[in-house]
């Protein structure tokens, strides 16, 4: 990023929080911020969702590389508590994403907790069609991240009519039209309560479902229209 600040004529940021973080970093380093543009990323048109057998329990989905900032550990601890309380009646958690870094405690639980094995399922190499099918049937997408620059899974869920429970991060509020339920990423009890609430047709889940038909996801055409106009002025 120091090289970017020294050498770039212009910088395209994927969100206002990303741009603001870069501006703060430049200020701390005593460097000028080049011309910047915020241009949201578009979402691809995916293939038709795969046809999957229905699951016997309500389930929730997490999408993203398994790494420390994604906060999988919070959700696994929440699921441990749910399984201890509800036993076989506990919902399922489907984790879509390959293993990354700084998440050894998460890997230990995924590999070694026998009580979680029937309720938490890791899908490391899930293809797009299967992922979209799993997302479509989920009670909600869970995004408990500590930090994000954007959040494509949030957009993909909302454009497909799937409720979202997310960390209260500025970028999630920016890209989601304020539709999701926003929670503190450190408050395990709040996430457990939300999961139980969303297992049924709760008022909060119904609120999101009512708002989502009006949600318009960002497109790649919008992104490049904005970028090309900016480039012509740069």
């Amino acid at each position: 990023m120091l090289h970017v600040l020294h050498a770039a004529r212009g910088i395209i940021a994927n969100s206002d929080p990303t741009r603001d973080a870069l501006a703060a970093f430049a200020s701390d380093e005593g460097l000028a911020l080049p011309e910047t543009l915020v241009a949201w990323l578009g979402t691809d048109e995916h293939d038709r969702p795969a046809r999957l057998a229905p699951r016997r329990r309500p389930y929730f989905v997490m999408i993203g590389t398994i790494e420390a900032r994604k906060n999988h550990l919070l959700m696994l601890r929440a699921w441990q508590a749910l399984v201890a309380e509800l036993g076989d009646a506990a919902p399922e958690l489907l984790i879509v994403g390959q293993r990354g870094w700084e998440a050894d405690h998460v890997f230990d639980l995924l590999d070694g907790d026998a009580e979680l094995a029937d309720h938490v399922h890791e899908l490391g190499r899930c293809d797009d069609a299967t992922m979209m099918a799993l997302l479509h049937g989920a009670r909600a997408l869970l995004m408990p991240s500590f930090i994000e620059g954007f959040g494509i899974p949030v957009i993909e869920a909302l454009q497909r009519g799937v409720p979202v429970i997310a960390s209260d991060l500025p970028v999630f509020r920016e890209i989601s039209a304020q539709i999701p339920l926003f929670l503190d990423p450190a408050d395990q009890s709040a996430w457990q309560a939300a999961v139980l609430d969303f297992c049924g047709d709760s008022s909060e889940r119904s609120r999101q479902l009512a708002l989502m038909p009006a949600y318009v996801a960002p497109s790649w055409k919008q992104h490049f229209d904005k970028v090309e106009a900016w480039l012509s002025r740069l």
Side-chain angles (χ1 to χ4, degrees):
M1 297 315 300
L2 288 172
H3 177 71
V4 169
L5 292 172
H6 280 293
R9 175 67 186 277
I11 297 173
I12 301 169
N14 57 4
S15 65
D16 286 322
T18 297
R19 179 194 57 192
D20 294 345
L22 180 59
F25 176 72
S27 177
D28 289 344
E29 295 292 331
L31 297 172
L33 184 68
E35 291 287 334
T36 61
L37 171 74
V38 173
W40 289 358
L41 304 178
T43 53
D44 291 321
E45 292 295 328
H46 290 277
D47 295 334
R48 185 185 302 274
R51 295 178 64 87
L52 303 177
R55 306 189 77 88
R56 63 186 180 90
R57 291 187 293 243
Y59 70 89
F60 296 77
V61 174
M62 290 184 71
I63 299 174
T65 302
I66 303 174
E67 58 187 18
R69 71 182 179 90
K70 296 288 189 178
N71 203 16
H72 290 77
L73 187 60
L74 174 92
M75 298 316 309
L76 292 185
R77 287 174 174 164
W79 245 263
Q80 284 179 316
L82 290 170
V83 172
E85 177 184 351
L86 302 174
D88 288 342
E92 292 181 294
L93 173 62
L94 308 184
I95 298 175
V96 178
Q98 298 185 43
R99 295 191 178 193
W101 69 315
E102 293 186 347
D104 289 345
H105 292 311
V106 173
F107 305 148
D108 289 343
L109 287 175
L110 290 173
D111 294 335
D113 191 318
E115 293 184 355
L116 282 180
D118 288 336
H119 294 83
V120 177
H121 308 286
E122 182 183 1
L123 296 86
R125 292 190 176 273
C126 183
D127 60 70
D128 284 350
T130 301
M131 181 184 74
M132 289 303 158
L134 292 172
L135 183 60
H136 180 75
R139 300 303 296 174
L141 170 74
L142 304 178
M143 289 288 286
S145 307
F146 289 116
I147 189 168
E148 291 284 353
F150 196 56
I152 287 286
V154 170
I155 293 171
E156 291 177 332
L158 294 177
Q159 72 182 149
R160 288 164 177 80
V162 179
V164 176
I165 307 172
S167 296
D168 194 358
L169 300 180
V171 68
F172 286 161
R173 288 186 176 273
E174 178 181 320
I175 66 175
S176 69
Q178 306 283 347
I179 294 174
L181 172 62
F182 297 107
L183 299 176
D184 182 342
D187 190 345
Q188 178 183 321
S189 61
W191 286 83
Q192 285 175 222
V195 166
L196 288 175
D197 192 41
F198 274 55
C199 282
D201 295 323
S202 65
S203 59
E204 172 58 28
R205 192 173 188 276
S206 297
R207 178 192 68 81
Q208 292 195 34
L209 292 173
L211 292 173
M212 277 185 278
Y215 178 75
V216 179
S219 70
W220 281 116
K221 183 180 186 304
Q222 292 170 329
H223 173 87
F224 282 106
D225 284 348
K226 194 170 185 180
V227 168
E228 288 171 1
W230 177 72
L231 287 175
S232 69
R233 300 191 302 268
L234 191 63

